[in-house]
Amino acid sequence: MKIKIVLAGMMMFAFALGSYAQDGGGQRRTAEERTKRAVDTITSVFKLDQAQQTQTQTAFMDYNKAMDKLRESMQGGTRPDRSEYEKLITERDEKLKKVLSADQFKKYKDEVEPAMRTRRQGGGGNN
């Protein structure tokens, strides 16, 4: 009987720990952390040189900081217009088009960006 209780407790602990790890510990990553992750991913896929990495970092840092400001404005109870989000994405993409070739940018939009988005949302989309 004691073994069953101990095993059940261990399973509950493992489940709770797994849930905690999946959502990043309940904390949102900083703009710097999100930027680093994006730049690292893009660099590994496209083998960017140092200058390209710097330009990509600037594009994502500007984007992530602006997104943080939009999220902060949501705390007041008002939800920003969808066009504000789209404007930020367009600005980021315009900067990336200057760094990546046309083929690389197409691959980024078709494969890399959706993969990064899925990972960020927990992978399942069952929300």
Side-chain angles (χ1 to χ4, degrees), residues 12-83:
M12 288 174 45
F13 176 75
F15 178 78
L17 186 61
S19 296
Y20 183 78
Q22 282 186 350
D23 70 358
Q27 297 178 1
R28 182 179 298 277
R29 288 187 171 84
T30 65
E32 290 79 10
E33 291 169 333
R34 293 189 316 270
T35 297
K36 181 179 180 347
R37 178 178 240 173
V39 172
D40 289 349
T41 300
I42 292 170
T43 297
S44 69
V45 171
F46 299 119
K47 310 297 184 232
L48 302 181
D49 63 31
Q50 189 60 44
Q52 290 172 312
Q53 288 180 35
T54 301
Q55 292 173 308
T56 302
Q57 182 174 5
T58 300
F60 274 95
M61 184 61 77
D62 293 348
Y63 168 75
N64 285 321
K65 286 186 175 185
M67 287 297 285
D68 284 349
K69 287 181 183 178
L70 276 179
R71 287 184 186 109
E72 287 173 16
S73 71
M74 286 176 28
Q75 292 177 357
T78 59
R79 186 163 184 90
D81 185 24
R82 180 77 182 148
S83 66

Side-chain angles (χ1 to χ4, degrees), residues 85-108:
Y85 290 109
E86 291 170 1
K87 179 183 172 202
L88 294 176
I89 292 168
T90 301
E91 289 173 1
R92 180 202 61 201
D93 288 351
E94 288 302 317
K95 292 176 184 176
L96 289 176
K97 283 180 183 178
K98 295 176 183 176
V99 177
L100 303 173
S101 70
D103 289 339
Q104 287 175 324
F105 184 76
K106 181 175 179 3
K107 182 175 181 176
Y108 165 74

